[in-house]
Amino acid sequence: GADSRPRPLRSRQKHEAGGRKVITLLEARNVGKRFGGLQALTEVSLTIRKGEVYGLIGPNGAGKTTFFNVLTGAYTPDGGEFVFNGSELPSGKPHKIVGRGIARTFQNIRLFRDLTALENVMAGHHIRTRAGIWGVLTQNRFTREEERLTTERAYELLRYVGIERFADVVSKNLSYGDQRRLEIARALATEPQLLALDEPAAGMNATETGQLKQLIQQIRNDGITVMLIEHDVKLVMGLCDRVAVLDFGSKIAEDVPAVVQKDEAVIAAYLGGGKHAN
């Protein structure tokens, strides 16, 4: 059949590092976010390189999900900016950010619960289709062809994440692990350059976590950059190329896992205990 791997995507901005081309895909510059009296993010700056798996970790209440929400347009930052593929991202406009090539999953799974797995993925792909409402109403030839290709692509993505046998199952009837996979397939259907995963291993058993790790590696090998928030530190350290650590809304470390694991500020943040709100 057709090649079921997501199509590789390209980026522009480049700089040299150790003779190897390093391409900056996303740069967060001094991003801040406040909720009333709570400073949730304080001048957070980090850089994600094209083709890497990048982990964002930290104790509960450190600001990880807030960072994701600002990046993906759910919240508007109070300061700072995101530069993606060399140009600034609009703030507070989720659909525009998806259109620019950033897709995300959620800590609490957000599928269309009464649609089938196939229909969920097709819904994700519709941001990339061109038929428009008139085409859908008139069902002209172009629209019918586009629908056929969308259906085909949705099947490919279900196969890619390993749940094609559940194509016609209503998503609320899928197991927890398969719902997570479906959410990843739906995000991939938007053809992202950066896939942002919020706690993808939450609630998974050891077998499911191992399979998830393989899937994320496969996605990266197929040219999509991955950023993940994850509580499973073992998974992060075994999967990520680089890791940033947030504590009380500030970045306290950013490096390869082996260096971050030995960082005294990181150890103190995780073992300090008691101070953190959930």
Side-chain angles (χ1 to χ4, degrees):
D3 184 358
S4 65
R5 293 177 307 182
R7 302 174 190 101
L9 297 136
R10 285 164 194 76
S11 171
R12 286 187 297 277
Q13 196 183 345
K14 302 179 182 181
H15 56 266
E16 298 290 328
R20 208 163 46 85
K21 266 205 171 58
V22 172
I23 303 172
T24 297
L25 183 65
L26 177 74
E27 199 181 345
R29 297 177 179 166
N30 302 318
V31 174
K33 181 66 187 172
R34 169 182 287 282
F35 298 103
L38 173 72
Q39 188 71 36
L41 295 172
T42 306
E43 300 205 338
V44 175
S45 297
L46 51 86
T47 303
I48 298 179
R49 300 163 185 166
K50 179 153 175 50
E52 73 179 346
V53 178
Y54 186 99
L56 188 63
I57 63 170
N60 282 334
K64 304 180 298 292
T65 294
T66 300
F67 182 87
F68 257 41
N69 286 336
V70 174
L71 167 64
T72 56
Y75 301 157
T76 304
D78 299 323
E81 63 177 4
F82 290 98
V83 176
F84 184 69
N85 246 336
S87 57
E88 195 178 338
L89 281 177
S91 61
K93 298 191 170 70
H95 63 288
K96 288 198 169 169
I97 288 167
V98 173
R100 287 281 296 274
I102 299 176
R104 73 169 292 181
T105 64
F106 293 86
Q107 196 172 337
N108 305 312
I109 296 172
R110 293 190 194 176
L111 293 166
F112 300 114
R113 291 177 49 75
D114 295 314
L115 296 184
T116 65
L118 184 71
E119 288 164 342
N120 265 279
V121 181
M122 287 175 71
H125 193 257
H126 273 129
I127 193 161
R128 295 289 176 210
T129 59
R130 296 200 309 278
I133 192 72
W134 179 248
V136 171
L137 292 173
T138 58
Q139 283 294 309
N140 59 38
R141 198 178 72 204
F142 175 78
T143 308
R144 289 196 306 272
E145 175 63 6
E146 201 166 53
E147 271 309 277
R148 186 186 68 76
L149 291 171
T150 297
T151 306
E152 210 171 87
R153 180 74 180 138
Y155 271 114
E156 280 177 10
L157 286 166
L158 289 174
R159 187 160 62 240
Y160 184 84
V161 301
I163 57 169
E164 73 275 20
R165 65 194 179 282
F166 302 130
D168 299 323
V169 176
V170 173
S171 72
K172 67 184 175 192
N173 296 335
L174 292 173
S175 73
Y176 186 83
D178 288 335
Q179 287 186 16
R180 285 260 177 230
R181 287 173 172 270
L182 176 55
E183 208 185 22
I184 291 172
R186 188 178 65 181
L188 290 172
T190 69
E191 298 179 7
Q193 296 181 56
L194 177 66
L195 178 64
L197 304 173
D198 191 353
E199 302 264 347
M204 287 189 172
N205 61 37
T207 305
E208 288 171 329
T209 301
Q211 291 168 341
L212 174 74
K213 181 178 176 181
Q214 288 178 329
L215 175 61
I216 292 171
Q217 286 168 329
Q218 182 69 46
I219 290 167
R220 187 265 300 276
N221 292 343
D222 289 330
I224 295 171
T225 305
V226 179
M227 176 184 195
L228 72 150
I229 293 175
E230 188 48 72
H231 269 296
D232 185 335
V233 174
K234 184 167 169 268
L235 174 67
V236 168
M237 296 304 175
L239 178 63
C240 294
D241 300 295
R242 288 187 312 132
V243 177
V245 186
L246 294 183
D247 189 32
F248 293 116
S250 296
K251 185 181 82 174
I252 57 169
E254 181 183 28
D255 213 319
V256 295
V259 173
V260 167
Q261 276 173 300
K262 297 191 185 85
D263 188 297
E264 285 176 18
V266 174
I267 293 165
Y270 269 101
L271 305 179
K275 304 181 300 183
H276 285 272
N278 273 314

